[in-house]
Amino acid sequence: MDLPTPLAWLVDQASVSSGPDRFLAELGSRLLADGLPLAGGALTLAVPHPIIARRTWLWRAETGAVIEALSFAGGSLDLAGHDWLVGLGPVQQDMIGAALDSPMLGWAATRPFDPADIDRLRQVARFVAAPLAALAARAALTALLEAYLGRRSATRVQAGALSRGSGETIRAVLLCADLRGFTALSEAADPATTIAALDAWFDRVAGAVHAFGGEVLKFIGDGVLAIFPVTGSPTAACEAALRAIAAARAGMAHLDTARQTQGLPPLPFGAALHLGEILWGNIGAADRLDFTAIGPAVNLVSRLEGLCRPLGRSVLISGAVAAETATPLVPLGEHVLRGIAAPCAVFTLLDA
């Protein structure tokens, strides 16, 4: 079959595009070269994600650049893409499928589309369905993996790191944090109230971790284990972790004020930081794996966090982190940690 160049590309090559952004840019540039008067394009996909309902990629013909916009739960079907296209010129949009969450492909023109232009774009929409289904499936898988594993871990799994015992040794700052007295609180409250409190706590600490380049590896009951990988200097990772701790404390202070106005008790917590090497990879049974971190550094930061209550401090910092930061710290001496051979030099923040 002798197909126009854009349609031939959709049949033969489009399904192996590296992502929806490249798919849109390549399709747009081919349609532009084929004579269509395009000013830009927009591709919207629904994704299975806790808070993101749809992802929209926006392509500008003049520069070839693609940017991404997110639509959150409760928003309109294609507000970001449609509004952006309208700003460029006359719009032609097609829903690729019949369901409300079907992909949406739209184009803006440098002049009004004539009937021949619209016929060609509708033909493109029919040929787009198959490669777009493959891209949408990959985007959905990526969204699910990132929601449950975190972005770095999800990338490793998608790259094929699926064998039990496979992993790599990396250096990272570990953050371990845990709510205080939450068992008693959960026994005294109904399940809905308990879950709401946990979600509010996790929002503050995970939000702070992500804001400063870290990744949450695991939620354990009312506890959190996160890492800040050393990608440059150890000092940069340590400072990022300390800033995350400060942000989490500020967020929790604000939350406790709000809870007080509702007649609810505060949610005190303890947190610890340590710098060390971890094995980051697949651990588990033959048919059920967990992508996580193990090693002496993980054990140490967990034991260090357990010292927060007996030492009466909300934040404890190991000597390994203290040696890499210029942040003023208060030394608390050396302490023996259960299961750790050598005593650990322990520090805290001035106001912790």
Side-chain angles (χ1 to χ4, degrees):
M1 183 183 297
D2 187 15
L3 294 173
T5 300
L7 301 186
W9 176 78
L10 285 170
V11 172
D12 297 330
Q13 303 174 51
S15 61
V16 296
S17 297
S18 60
D21 55 342
R22 296 313 312 152
F23 171 86
L24 178 63
E26 183 72 14
L27 178 57
S29 64
R30 288 176 180 274
L31 292 174
L32 194 63
D34 203 44
L36 281 166
L38 300 184
L43 172 62
T44 299
L45 298 178
V47 292
H49 191 275
I51 58 173
I52 300 170
R54 285 165 296 280
R55 299 172 67 185
T56 299
W57 291 268
L58 308 168
W59 167 75
R60 195 176 188 110
E62 183 180 6
T63 62
V66 179
I67 61 174
E68 184 179 350
L70 302 178
S71 299
F72 296 94
S76 62
L77 180 62
D78 184 33
L79 183 62
H82 184 268
D83 284 1
W84 188 82
L85 290 172
V86 167
L88 295 180
V91 174
Q92 168 65 28
Q93 280 188 304
D94 293 289
M95 187 175 287
I96 315 301
L100 286 177
D101 60 351
S102 294
M104 180 79 76
L105 182 63
W107 306 100
T110 56
R111 59 163 173 77
F113 287 114
D114 60 34
D117 296 332
I118 293 174
D119 286 343
R120 291 169 67 191
L121 290 177
R122 286 178 176 165
Q123 188 178 29
V124 166
R126 289 195 292 271
F127 277 77
V128 153
L132 203 52
L135 284 172
R138 292 207 299 270
L141 177 61
T142 297
L144 282 172
L145 288 174
E146 289 182 358
Y148 282 91
L149 298 179
R151 179 162 293 183
R152 289 184 181 89
S153 299
T155 300
R156 290 290 312 284
V157 170
Q158 284 191 289
L162 301 175
S163 300
R164 180 169 59 164
S166 67
E168 63 176 327
T169 299
I170 66 171
R171 200 171 185 215
V173 180
L174 295 101
L175 183 155
C176 182
D178 184 73
L179 284 178
R180 294 282 170 259
F182 193 75
T183 300
L185 180 65
S186 62
E187 290 177 350
D190 62 84
T193 301
T194 300
I195 291 173
L198 274 179
D199 286 346
W201 151 241
F202 288 142
D203 275 344
R204 270 69 179 178
V205 66
V209 167
H210 294 153
F212 292 98
E215 176 164 337
V216 171
L217 291 185
K218 193 177 293 295
F219 297 113
I220 312 165
D222 59 350
V224 179
L225 176 64
I227 60 172
F228 296 80
V230 175
T231 56
S233 71
T235 297
C238 291
E239 295 292 349
L242 286 166
R243 287 194 292 271
I245 286 285
R249 295 178 69 206
M252 290 303 291
H254 185 271
L255 175 64
D256 284 343
T257 299
R259 287 176 61 85
Q260 185 178 17
T261 63
Q262 301 167 25
L264 298 172
L267 296 175
F269 71 96
L273 294 178
H274 176 56
L275 170 66
E277 289 190 342
I278 58 173
L279 176 63
W280 182 45
N282 284 306
I283 309 295
D287 60 349
R288 176 63 174 87
L289 300 174
D290 189 12
F291 204 92
T292 188
I294 62 169
V298 180
N299 298 334
L300 190 151
V301 76
S302 175
R303 299 290 187 258
L304 184 59
E305 191 277 327
L307 271 184
C308 287
R309 187 195 298 270
L311 293 183
R313 305 286 182 167
S314 60
V315 178
L316 294 180
I317 298 159
S318 75
V321 173
E324 296 289 348
T325 179
T327 300
L329 300 176
V330 178
L332 299 178
E334 291 192 340
H335 293 264
V336 175
L337 303 177
R338 182 169 58 87
I340 307 298
C344 177
V346 179
F347 297 77
T348 191
L349 298 172
L350 294 176
D351 61 347

